[in-house]
């Protein structure tokens, strides 16, 4: 009899002939994320991934569940016990051990739910549930009572290559295994939206790097640290995240000096796209990610987004495009980036904002204004890229 974590996954199960590639990647991600906690044996077994601690006594169960709950591709984590033997006697042994943990002075209601993946097992799922329920009622008498509609306890039995019994399933992050769907580069600011956008794309299996535009002395070291902290929050789900810090001060000052002030934000965004795309290509990314949402600010009107999009040649993923602010905030709270995002440190997108920014820019006019930088901008962009600071989060 051993303790075991049973990992359940969702849409991986509907994959065809390449399903094993996704499962293998998920196994690899589980091993990597649990490495710092302890030593585990991770195996695949008939639609489940089993995680067994090598030394039961030294494992912090809550820490393991927390780690597993942040791994994309996992929809549920159960912690239970395993018997190598596949028999009804093994089922009864495990069930008795589990029920002993919850039986106390007060009567509890329960039901048994059985999943028989091994169809060679002589009893049907219903027969196992009925006979096990009768056995437990006889063993624990007045301490438990059956309630199949709204039980306080559901005893889960899984009959596979081995026998498993557990009492509770914890929710996972869902999505697809990280690293199975290419790579993209996130434009990460210190706000609420961009960390959520990066998390959402990573949830679909896309490996994520990030670019942050820093403008000292107008943006402080505390503002930079805030973005590093946000990258680390996202990396708790991805396992690692490389943050590229771009010094944007000189470029911003030249935009402010030469371009119409009502167009500052949109021109700044376009040059950020130039730089982010160059860094993305250097690092093997296939797309950019932004936290833009239609109409949220002046630079995110339909007109502005069209003009910004023109600056990029690779696809730009905007997973929040149709979300309202409250929906974004709820996700930020769930992934624990919200409290960091609302720290009151400035970012370079707000330092040089015009009093009356253009909300319906026209591409031909923006390009004319941008041409005022033609004699210097290429060299400045190259310098900014060459001097990028890389932080592993």
């Amino acid at each position: 009899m051993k303790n075991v974590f049973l990992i359940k996954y969702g849409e991986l199960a509907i994959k065809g002939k390449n399903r094993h590639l996704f499962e293998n990647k998920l196994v690899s991600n589980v091993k990597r994320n649990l490495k710092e906690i302890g030593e585990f044996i991770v195996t695949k077994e008939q639609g489940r991934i089993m995680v067994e601690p090598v030394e039961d006594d030294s494992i912090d169960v809550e820490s393991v569940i927390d780690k597993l709950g942040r791994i994309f591709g996992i929809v549920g984590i159960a912690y239970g016990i395993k018997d190598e033997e596949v028999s009804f006697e093994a089922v009864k042994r495990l069930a008795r051990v589990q029920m002993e943990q919850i039986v106390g002075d007060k009567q509890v209601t329960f039901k048994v739910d059985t999943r028989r993946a091994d169809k060679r097992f002589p009893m049907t799922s219903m027969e196992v549930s009925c006979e096990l329920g009768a056995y437990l009622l006889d063993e624990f008498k007045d301490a438990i009572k059956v309630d199949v509609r709204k039980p306080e306890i559901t005893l889960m039995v899984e009959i596979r290559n081995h026998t498993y019994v557990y009492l509770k399933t914890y929710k996972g992050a869902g999505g697809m295994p990280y690293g199975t769907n290419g790579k993209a580069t996130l434009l990460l600011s210190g706000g609420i939206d961009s960390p959520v956008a990066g998390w959402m794309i990573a949830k679909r299996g896309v490996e994520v790097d990030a670019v942050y535009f820093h403008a000292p002395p107008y943006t402080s070291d505390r503002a930079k640290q805030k973005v590093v902290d946000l990258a680390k929050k996202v990396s708790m789900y991805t396992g690692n995240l490389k943050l590229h810090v771009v010094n944007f001060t000189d470029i911003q000052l030249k935009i402010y000096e030469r371009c119409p002030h009502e167009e500052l934000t949109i021109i700044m965004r376009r040059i950020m796209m130039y730089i982010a795309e160059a860094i993305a290509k250097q690092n093997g990314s296939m797309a950019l990610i932004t936290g833009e949402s239609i109409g949220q600010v002046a630079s995110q009107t339909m007109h502005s987004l069209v003009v910004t999009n023109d600056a990029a040649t690779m696809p730009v993923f905007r997973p929040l495009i149709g979300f309202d602010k409250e929906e974004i905030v709820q996700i930020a709270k769930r992934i624990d980036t919200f409290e960091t995002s609302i720290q009151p440190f400035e970012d370079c997108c707000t330092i040089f904002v015009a009093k009356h920014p253009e909300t319906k820019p026209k591409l031909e006019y923006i390009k004319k204004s941008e041409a005022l930088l033609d004699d210097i901008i290429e060299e400045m962009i190259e310098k900014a890229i060459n001097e990028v600071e890389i932080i592993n989060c």
Side-chain angles (χ1 to χ4, degrees):
M1 194 178 296
K2 299 177 181 177
N3 292 326
V4 64
F5 298 88
L6 292 84
I7 292 177
K8 305 177 182 183
Y9 45 84
E11 59 186 296
L12 267 67
I14 64 174
K15 293 293 180 184
K17 293 180 180 179
N18 62 351
R19 170 176 162 177
H20 69 284
L21 300 175
F22 291 88
E23 290 176 331
N24 291 343
K25 186 62 177 177
L26 185 54
V27 167
S28 173
N29 291 347
V30 168
K31 288 178 179 178
R32 184 192 66 207
N33 282 32
L34 292 181
K35 210 170 187 178
E36 63 187 59
I37 295 181
E39 192 176 351
F40 297 85
I41 299 168
V42 184
T43 55
K44 295 189 293 182
E45 187 174 326
Q46 294 173 305
R48 292 279 189 267
I49 291 174
M50 306 302 180
V51 179
E52 294 182 47
V54 173
E55 297 180 10
D56 278 354
D57 296 339
S58 63
I59 294 300
D60 183 339
V61 174
E62 288 187 6
S63 294
V64 175
I65 290 171
D66 180 65
K67 279 283 187 184
L68 292 174
R70 296 174 186 271
I71 298 174
F72 294 125
I74 296 175
V75 299
I77 309 109
Y79 179 60
I81 46 180
K82 162 189 172 180
D83 200 306
E84 299 283 345
E85 183 182 321
V86 181
S87 68
F88 187 63
E89 288 304 311
V91 171
K92 290 196 293 184
R93 282 196 299 270
L94 296 179
R96 180 182 177 85
V97 171
Q98 290 285 45
M99 291 300 284
E100 283 174 347
Q101 297 178 25
I102 59 172
V103 170
D105 299 332
K106 184 181 175 182
Q107 187 183 65
V108 295
T109 60
F110 83 105
K111 77 170 183 177
V112 178
D113 191 345
T114 302
R115 295 183 182 179
R116 185 180 60 120
D118 185 351
K119 301 306 179 186
R120 297 170 299 177
F121 195 77
M123 301 168 68
T124 67
S125 297
M126 185 63 74
E127 287 170 344
V128 172
S129 293
C130 289
E131 292 199 28
L132 182 59
Y135 165 76
L136 293 172
L137 284 171
D138 187 54
E139 286 292 306
F140 295 97
K141 303 195 184 300
D142 296 334
I144 59 175
K145 180 181 177 181
V146 172
D147 184 345
V148 296
R149 293 189 176 182
K150 292 184 178 179
E152 294 171 284
I153 299 296
T154 298
L155 188 73
M156 296 292 304
V157 177
E158 296 202 11
I159 299 169
R160 300 179 178 275
N161 295 342
H162 307 289
T163 305
Y164 303 91
V165 176
Y166 54 92
L167 292 170
K168 186 176 179 181
T169 298
Y170 301 85
K171 190 174 180 181
M176 298 293 290
Y178 186 70
T180 57
N181 234 337
K183 185 176 181 180
T185 294
L186 169 68
L187 279 75
L188 181 63
S189 72
I192 296 170
D193 305 335
S194 57
V196 173
W199 178 87
M200 289 179 69
I201 295 297
K203 185 178 178 180
R204 299 308 306 157
V206 178
E207 184 182 348
V208 174
D209 274 355
V211 176
Y212 164 58
F213 293 90
H214 188 43
Y218 303 100
T219 53
S220 65
D221 286 340
R222 290 183 301 174
K224 176 181 169 182
Q225 185 58 48
K226 172 183 171 181
V227 175
V228 172
D229 292 341
L230 285 171
K232 288 179 178 178
K233 294 281 187 183
V234 176
S235 74
M236 292 178 73
Y237 290 88
T238 64
N240 61 288
L241 194 150
K242 190 178 289 185
L243 177 65
H244 300 79
V245 180
V246 178
N247 190 320
F248 202 55
T249 307
D250 291 344
I251 293 173
Q252 267 193 304
L253 289 173
K254 285 300 179 185
I255 295 171
Y256 186 79
E257 176 188 316
R258 296 192 179 192
C259 299
H261 283 196
E262 66 274 12
E263 297 175 354
L264 291 178
T265 302
I266 197 71
I267 293 173
M268 179 185 71
R269 291 290 294 173
R270 281 174 58 84
I271 294 177
M272 284 180 172
M273 297 296 266
Y274 295 145
I275 295 172
E277 183 171 88
I279 292 171
K281 287 178 178 177
Q282 286 178 356
N283 290 281
S285 283
M286 302 167 67
L288 299 176
I289 309 165
T290 75
E292 291 161 317
S293 170
I294 292 177
Q296 191 173 128
V297 293
S299 64
Q300 296 176 26
T301 63
M302 279 287 287
H303 301 76
S304 296
L305 291 173
V306 168
V307 173
T308 301
N309 235 41
D310 175 76
T313 60
M314 59 173 53
V316 181
F317 297 155
R318 295 180 172 95
L320 306 180
I321 198 70
F323 283 48
D324 63 38
K325 198 65 177 184
E326 185 55 34
E327 290 172 317
I328 299 169
V329 165
Q330 289 307 312
I331 299 174
K333 288 180 177 178
R334 178 153 60 92
I335 66 174
D336 195 31
T337 57
F338 179 73
E339 293 300 329
T340 304
S341 291
I342 62 172
Q343 291 174 5
F345 303 132
E346 66 290 325
D347 66 59
C348 70
C349 293
T350 58
I351 295 298
F352 295 103
V353 171
K355 207 169 188 180
H356 302 290
E358 178 66 72
T359 58
K360 294 182 179 180
K362 292 187 173 163
L363 183 57
E364 60 269 30
Y365 295 156
I366 296 298
K367 283 189 170 182
K368 282 182 183 177
S369 298
E370 201 173 286
L372 299 172
L373 303 166
D374 277 355
D375 61 320
I376 55 166
I377 197 62
E378 190 174 328
E379 184 180 338
M380 293 184 78
I381 288 175
E382 186 178 351
K383 182 175 183 289
I385 293 169
N386 289 337
E387 295 177 358
V388 161
E389 176 189 3
I390 298 176
I391 301 172
N392 290 305
C393 300

